[in-house]
Every structure is written in C-alpha cells, then in structure tokens.
Amino acid sequence: MGGNDKILLAHGGGGRLTQQLIDEYIVPAFSNASLNDLGDAASLDLSSNKICFTTDSYVVKPLFFAGADIGKLAVCGTVNDLAVSGAKPFAISMGLIIEEGLELAAFKTIIESAATAARAAGVFIAAGDTKVVEHGSADKLFINTSGIGTRIPGLDVGFSRIAQGDVILINGSIGDHGMAILAGREGLRFESNIQSDCAPLNGIIQTLYEDDCLRPAIKFMRDATRGGVAAVLNEIARSADVSIEIEETKLPINPAVLAAAEMLGFDLLNVANEGKFIAIVQKEFAQKALEIMRSHPLGKDAAIIGQVGPQGDETIVELATAIGGRRIIQMPYGRELPRIC
Amino acid sequence: MLQRIWKAHNLMDLACKDLPCSLNIMEVCGTHTVSIFRNGIRPTLPANLRLLSGPGCPVCVTDQGYIENVLTLAGRDDIIIATYGDMIRVPSKNGSLEKRADNQNVKIVLSSMEALDIAKQNPSKTVVFVAVGFETTTPATAIAVRYAAAENIKNFCILSAHKTVVPAMEALLSSEKAKIDAFICPGHVSVIIGSDAYNPIVTKYKKPCVVAGFEPMQIIEGIAQICSQVAAHAPKVESMYHAVVTPQGNVKAKAIIDEMFEPADGVWRGIGVIKNSALVLRDKFSEFDAAKRFGLSDGHPEDMPGCHCGEVLCGLIDPPQCKLFATTCNPDNPIGPCMVSSEGACSAWFKYGRRKKRENKQ
Ligand code: SF4
C-alpha cells in the first residue's frame, strides 16, 4: 500500500497536495461563497454590530465515538458557546492541525460530519486553515473553531441577573458524552449503547427566547461541558455569590449511563455533556420554559432540577439526595481515574 | 421507598435514644464510604450514631514500601508497569507513577488480562502487574498468572499487594485503638468470601456484622439492622445483599485464589503487620512473583510527613482532623493515598462534605 490513503507532511506544504486536500475534501464539504473564494480573510455581512465572538480547541480522543466525532464536536461546541451567551450563531472558522499519517478516509468523514453539523446549526464555515505536523507532534487531529454571532435583542443573560428564588432547568440527561468517550477509549470495553449527546443547542435556545414573555425572564444559560453540571453550578454559585440547591430525584439520567458510571466510580454530575445546557429562569416563568424545552427534540427530557438560594451567605451547591440526605456538589478537579474494584 | 426509610430511621432512633455513649459503626469498604457521602446519609442519622471509615480501600491500605518498590521498577527501561488507574497518583518521597508516566512505561489497565495482552505485545520487556486489591480482584490476578503459566508467557509477573479483609477487621478490634461497635461489611468482597467469613468476629468479639450492597437504601437498612441487634444485645452476621451474597460465597473464585496464592503476613498502612492478611503466589508460581524475580524487599519506609492516613484508615480520626486536609492536601495535590483514591475517606470528605467558606473558595 502506498502513502496515498494517508495524510502526508506534503499535504501541508502549500503545494499540489495541499491544493488537492482543499479542493477535494474541504471546499466541497463546506461549500459557501465566502470559503470558495479562498481569500486570506472572509468578509461577513452581519445584521447587527452587537456581536459575540468565541473560540475553542478540540483534542478529543478517540476521534470517533458513539453518537459523534471530533468534527461535529468542534462545530457544535462553538455554536453552543455562542447560543448560551445570548447570540445567534452566524459563521465559524476552522483550523485543522493534522498529524501526518491520519487516514484520508477518516479525515473525509470528520470534515463531512462537521459540514453536516454546521448545516444543522444554520451556520457556515467562513474561513479555514490546514496544517500538517510530523508524526508525534499532535495526536491525529486537533481542531480549533472560532465563532461569531449577533446578540439577540432583548435577551440579557449574565451572572449579575441571578437572584434568590430563580429556577434551574436542564434540557435532558446528564453525563452521556463523557461516558460515551470513556466507553470508546481503548481499555474500557464494556458493552454499551451509550451515545454522546453532542448537538447544536441554538435551535432549542431560539424556541425559548422567541417567546416574548419568556425572553426577559431568562437570566442565565451555560452549556455543561467539561466538568459537567457540577462545574457550571459551582461557577454560578461563586460568580453570582449565591447558594444553589439541586434535587437528586429531578436529575434526568439515562440508566445505561448511570450503570457505566457506577461501575467506574464516576459521579455523573462531574461528567461532560456536549448537548446540554443549564438555564436559570425567573420562578414565575419556569413552567413555561420547561414546556417549551420539552416540545423541542433536544429537550424532551428537560427538567426543573433546583433553585437558587440566598445570596452571599454560603456560596455552596448542595444536593438534596433521594433518601432525604444532603451533600455538597463540589467543583470537580483534575482528571478522575477509574477505580479498582 | 419513603416508608422503608422512615422504618429504618425509627429502628435507629429506638436503639440510639437510651445509649450511654455513641454507637460507632465502621463501614469497612471504600465504596460504602463514597456511597454514604454521595447520598448524604450521615446528616440523616441520630446524633450519637457515628460512622467510621475503615481499611477497605485497597489503594489506601497499600503500604509505602510497596509503592517505593513499584517506583523502583518503573525506573527501569526493560520493564512496563501495568496498573489500575487509582494507583498512579499515590505520592511518595520519590514522586508518583503519574509523574513517571511520560516514560511511556506505565500503562493503566482495567483488568489483569489487559496487562497480559501488553506482555504479549511487548516481548522484549517484562510487564509487572501492580496486583492490588481485596478478594474481589485477586481471582482475576490468579487467572492471569495461571494463563501466563499455561501459555509460557515469561515476560509477565505480578507484584502482589493482595489482601484479605477479615484479618484486618480482627486486628482493629484486638488492637482496641478505635472503639468499634459493629461493622457494615463490604458488598463485593462478601460476594466472594461469603457471609460466613464474618462468623469469627461475632463469636470472638460479639460485634454485629451486616453485609450491605452499595445502594443507599441497603446501607440505611443495614445500619438499622445493626441498631436492632444492638438494642436486642444479639450480635450476629446478617446480609442485606441476599441477591448476590451467600453464606459460602463464590466457591469457584475462592478455589482459584487458593490454587495460586497462599496467606502470608501483610503490611497495612496505619495498622502495620497483620498475620495471614496478605496473599502471595505459591512457590510453584514463584517465577511470576515480581518481588522474587527482582529481589525486592519489604522495606517499611515512613509515610508522607504530616499525613494521617493510617489513623483515618483505623477510624481513629475523621479526615478534617488532619492538619493538611483541604489546606495543602486536596485531590489536585494529594499528600496521602486516602486523598488519591476515589474510594478514599479523605477524598470523599473533600468532595461531598460541607466545609468552611474559606476552604470552598480556595
Ligand atoms: S488529608 Fe491528606 S495528608 Fe491528611 S490524612 Fe488525608 S490524605 Fe493524608
């Protein structure tokens, strides 16, 4: 077998192979006027000058896992960062750092899946870059995406708006993505039908803010990615200087995910999601927000999981457990390791 | 469920209300400790009912000498260390396996058979499996060694720190350091050894022994069961885990442990040497014994300075009584193994216990 089915250093050298990679793989997948020009910068026509701008890098291992892959993840992650910040995602850029030796077939699948995710989210890839590095200088493929979007008029989300009595919602089951990644990693060979929840959240968020009564009542949104729900809640408690109480029996949990987490000794509150967001809504509008979430496919298991407690007293996050006990939900730390027995 | 919880609490209240002093129940197993904290069980108990975390977290009780031996082996180019995840972060004065992981010769595995696979894939290196754990993990180690012997896989061996639970429970009772009134016996271990294994504790020491699973309801009902035994002055072995724990245990698993291993004196962190509490490979299989193959001795280096894991493991102190707890010692920078292991008492207190605002803000 020749080297033709793999990415070579020459694919990043700026010559014929680079051109081929762009012409045959990237442009057809992402095809849009801005990218097809292949200029040095994209020109964008935004509907407003109040914009949100974000960036994130994706280094997930393995590249493919149940329910998604790094391409879809890189698009959804950035789209979601914009959406929870109260912006309508418009365009994203994509920088690819490829380790030589990556199979072209895998590369193609990833690019196409990124393109599909972008279409589903209603954004386009406005600019891109490709670099190939020597074997060992990267782990197969790293993707950086940056995204730009316009602020939704009348939607004001931020820590400062959070107050005692506000209600905390989530759009579905927790920990699916993190456990899918673990299941996909070499070594953790447990049978599972666990799927990553990776999905663009701008659609479901739009259904919330499109409701004129609800829009001003939405006080805060955050996608619960790395560190899971526990990290988001702790950040809220700290930044808004409030305490938070969550009810264990209200947390949406997929039984297969729970079984895997228990086997490995993980707390699902600490496990990453890629299609879940926490919304904090003024109490009177919580039921309405829940109904709207549940009518969207990405929110059919949505739930009210807790409420915001008093300000300034003790900025802790507490869980009221199913058996009537209480315990702290701590900011997750470092990396969790599977336990022995 | 609410009714069961209510009934259990009634039993506890009844037993505890007239007690002259506190009722100290030790949960032997680290998985119980975590479940108790994760489910917020402690605050729901009567004020004079105390739960003590015991020596049932395999990473925590593994002594410092063993850790040093593993680190010594990890320093050699001709060796690959295959270990369960929790072990790699246990600190010593000479660093931890995690800090050496950049050598590429430390591999995390989830089973002993995976370690064997690594040996097959790397014929030019010797794979040393860090064989840690109680009766739950020992059968798997035994199977791997038996397989290696049958297939003549010479570049595989194990460094055994396998231990048995009951001798440690007896040692704690006979040392009389901590006041222990009853035991919640480990679920998984009891599946293997059977509930009859606790009979000596009841006959010799008159302490209730109740086997429970890890569901919060099982633990609460297990505690309630202990309370009724205390109230009736009738200590006995009971199992709440009927579905999987039999009096005899798993006869096949016990047989394979017995085929490959024999009891020996073992060193436990915090407790010291306990007679017949360790399992070492029988002479027939000594070529698979890393301690013999590499001439390692059972040194007893000191624990990390300032760390009180030993006292924590014996139920003598609660983790917050250690001065390093949540100050210099935390899960990102663990000083002792009880903060490293997800099953460790210090880690459970840190993660789920209520702490002062200052500590939360760190
Ligand atoms: S808090 Fe840290 S130093 Fe103190 S006993 Fe626990 S592990 Fe050791």
Side-chain angles (χ1 to χ4, degrees):
Chain A
M1 210 190 280
N4 293 345
D5 50 352
K6 296 215 160 109
I7 295 218
L8 309 171
L9 272 179
H11 277 113
R16 190 180 56 81
L17 278 179
T18 308
Q19 203 52 48
Q20 200 182 341
L21 193 70
I22 293 171
D23 289 350
E24 287 179 20
Y25 291 85
I26 297 176
V27 170
F30 293 144
S31 185
N32 62 67
S34 169
L35 191 71
N36 296 357
D37 274 355
L38 296 178
D40 279 338
S43 306
L44 305 176
D45 267 329
L46 295 165
S47 58
S48 146
N49 61 1
K50 292 202 168 60
I51 61 166
C52 284
F53 183 42
T54 184
T55 188
D56 209 342
S57 299
Y58 299 84
V59 294
V60 65
K61 186 177 173 178
L63 297 182
F64 297 91
F65 43 89
D69 57 54
I70 190 172
K72 181 178 182 186
L73 187 66
V75 170
C76 294
T78 289
V79 163
N80 293 349
D81 284 345
L82 289 171
V84 295
S85 309
K88 185 175 166 56
F90 182 70
I92 63 178
S93 72
M94 181 173 278
L96 301 159
I97 297 175
I98 313 166
E99 183 189 26
E100 69 169 319
L102 178 72
E103 292 85 19
L104 273 165
F107 180 72
K108 186 165 192 267
T109 311
I110 289 166
I111 293 301
E112 281 168 0
S113 131
T116 309
R119 271 193 298 277
V123 296
F124 64 102
I125 313 291
D129 176 52
T130 309
K131 293 283 183 301
V132 180
V133 297
E134 279 168 28
H135 181 69
S137 298
D139 194 354
K140 294 197 174 101
L141 176 64
F142 296 158
I143 302 182
N144 170 275
T145 51
S146 295
I148 191 165
T150 47
R151 297 285 304 263
I152 311 293
L155 180 61
D156 176 19
V157 286
F159 291 119
S160 61
R161 288 197 63 209
I162 298 171
Q164 180 169 5
D166 288 349
V167 167
I168 303 169
L169 294 98
I170 190 161
N171 63 313
S173 59
I174 62 170
D176 300 2
H177 174 74
M179 293 317 293
I181 295 282
L182 269 176
R185 274 202 193 139
E186 209 193 339
L188 299 194
R189 297 179 209 140
F190 49 80
E191 283 295 315
S192 75
N193 50 4
I194 299 170
Q195 297 268 321
S196 165
D197 60 348
C198 179
L201 291 169
N202 53 333
I204 181 169
I205 289 174
Q206 186 170 354
T207 61
L208 289 173
Y209 69 69
E210 266 176 2
D211 185 291
D212 288 335
C213 320
L214 192 53
R215 193 181 317 120
I218 305 172
K219 298 188 162 189
F220 184 85
M221 292 184 287
R222 177 63 56 88
D223 49 342
T225 55
R226 204 169 30 180
V229 170
V232 174
L233 295 177
N234 272 283
E235 205 186 330
I236 295 170
R238 218 173 279 197
S239 304
D241 209 18
V242 291
S243 63
I244 286 176
E245 188 184 288
I246 297 297
E247 284 179 64
E248 187 176 27
T249 50
K250 302 282 166 63
L251 289 170
I253 287 176
N254 167 348
V257 173
L258 181 66
E262 285 189 341
M263 189 175 94
L264 297 170
F266 286 91
D267 184 347
L268 284 178
L269 282 165
N270 297 348
V271 177
N273 309 278
E274 286 294 343
K276 295 293 147 39
F277 71 107
I278 295 281
I280 297 191
V281 176
Q282 200 182 315
K283 191 175 175 193
E284 297 74 21
F285 295 90
Q287 207 52 43
K288 172 136 209 191
L290 182 67
E291 278 159 26
I292 295 179
M293 272 191 184
R294 284 191 173 162
S295 60
H296 191 278
L298 292 179
K300 61 182 179 0
D301 298 324
I304 290 176
I305 57 169
Q307 65 275 329
V308 176
Q311 208 128 18
D313 181 17
E314 257 192 314
T315 58
I316 52 168
V317 184
E318 252 190 316
L319 182 77
T321 65
I323 56 102
R326 299 179 80 76
R327 61 115 158 147
I328 301 290
I329 300 175
Q330 196 68 236
M331 190 67 156
Y333 52 86
R335 69 175 165 141
E336 294 218 30
L337 296 164
R339 63 148 182 251
I340 287 185
C341 64
Chain B
M1 183 166 98
L2 281 177
Q3 229 175 3
R4 280 168 70 190
I5 296 177
W6 182 79
K7 197 173 149 208
H9 280 288
N10 253 353
L11 285 174
M12 291 182 209
D13 290 340
L14 215 64
C16 291
K17 75 176 179 346
D18 297 324
L19 282 182
C21 53
S22 63
L23 175 64
N24 295 349
I25 302 178
M26 175 172 274
E27 84 270 2
V28 176
C29 171
T31 313
H32 276 144
T33 305
V34 172
S35 182
I36 286 165
F37 272 93
R38 190 180 277 180
N39 292 292
I41 291 177
R42 275 170 177 254
T44 68
L45 302 176
N48 58 347
L49 195 161
R50 285 189 64 214
L51 290 180
L52 311 174
S53 303
C57 149
V59 175
C60 306
V61 293
T62 301
D63 76 298
Q64 208 60 31
Y66 180 90
I67 309 285
E68 301 290 349
N69 279 341
V70 175
L71 282 166
T72 308
L73 294 178
R76 291 177 47 159
D77 289 340
D78 55 340
I79 285 178
I80 295 176
I81 300 286
T83 174
Y84 294 124
D86 333 27
M87 282 300 285
I88 73 162
R89 297 188 67 208
V90 178
S92 85
K93 287 182 188 147
N94 300 315
S96 67
L97 283 179
E98 188 175 41
K99 298 205 170 118
R100 310 252 176 118
D102 45 346
N103 306 356
Q104 298 287 319
N105 70 339
V106 177
K107 302 250 186 259
I108 295 182
V109 294
L110 270 186
S111 73
S112 53
M113 293 311 273
E114 246 176 79
L116 208 53
D117 286 344
I118 296 175
K120 285 194 228 157
Q121 288 151 15
N122 296 275
S124 63
K125 307 236 176 176
T126 300
V127 170
V128 178
F129 176 58
V130 177
V132 169
F134 296 108
E135 289 92 334
T136 38
T137 51
T138 319
T141 307
I143 288 169
V145 174
R146 187 159 75 177
Y147 185 87
E151 299 287 311
N152 209 15
I153 302 171
K154 299 254 186 242
N155 67 327
F156 174 81
C157 57
I158 66 156
L159 190 59
S160 177
H162 283 305
K163 291 185 167 55
T164 49
V165 169
V166 177
M169 291 163 68
E170 288 203 56
L172 286 178
L173 290 174
S174 61
S175 81
E176 288 177 0
K177 276 201 238 160
K179 179 182 172 288
I180 301 167
D181 300 310
F183 289 105
I184 301 172
C185 301
H188 294 149
V189 166
S190 305
V191 173
I192 309 285
I193 66 176
S195 52
D196 278 354
Y198 305 106
N199 285 341
I201 308 241
V202 173
T203 33
K204 246 205 226 152
Y205 302 94
K206 311 273 176 280
K207 306 289 181 193
C209 286
V210 174
V211 179
F214 302 107
E215 292 291 319
M217 213 42 240
Q218 286 236 348
I219 297 175
I220 292 172
E221 290 183 333
I223 296 172
Q225 218 49 47
I226 287 174
C227 286
S228 12
Q229 288 189 28
V230 170
H233 303 285
K236 57 182 172 199
V237 176
E238 267 183 285
S239 174
M240 314 299 300
Y241 209 21
H242 308 290
V244 280
V245 175
T246 60
Q248 309 75 32
N250 183 332
V251 179
K252 266 198 197 149
K254 286 202 288 192
I256 184 161
I257 295 178
D258 192 49
E259 175 192 335
M260 310 301 292
F261 288 95
E262 61 189 357
D265 296 351
V267 194
W268 294 60
R269 185 186 296 267
I271 308 177
V273 177
I274 303 178
K275 242 188 147 21
N276 289 333
S277 68
L279 291 169
V280 296
L281 282 175
R282 291 189 180 275
D283 277 344
K284 264 203 288 194
F285 303 104
S286 61
E287 62 172 314
F288 298 100
D289 187 330
K292 291 192 178 138
R293 195 182 287 197
F294 300 105
L296 302 172
S297 66
D298 249 7
H300 303 302
E302 278 168 34
D303 293 346
M304 297 294 279
C307 171
H308 292 274
C309 277
E311 282 122 294
V312 170
L313 290 166
C314 298
L316 290 171
I317 63 167
D318 285 337
Q321 288 169 265
C322 168
K323 281 211 182 84
L324 303 186
F325 179 81
T327 52
T328 40
C329 182
N330 59 55
D332 284 328
N333 177 42
I335 307 289
C338 301
M339 190 62 94
V340 170
S341 170
S342 55
E343 310 271 278
C346 297
S347 143
W349 277 81
F350 188 96
K351 272 203 244 175
Y352 304 119
R354 183 183 271 271
R355 296 203 310 278
K356 294 186 202 95
K357 194 168 176 180
R358 169 185 62 82
E359 288 165 0
N360 280 317
K361 288 243 168 186
Q362 65 177 341

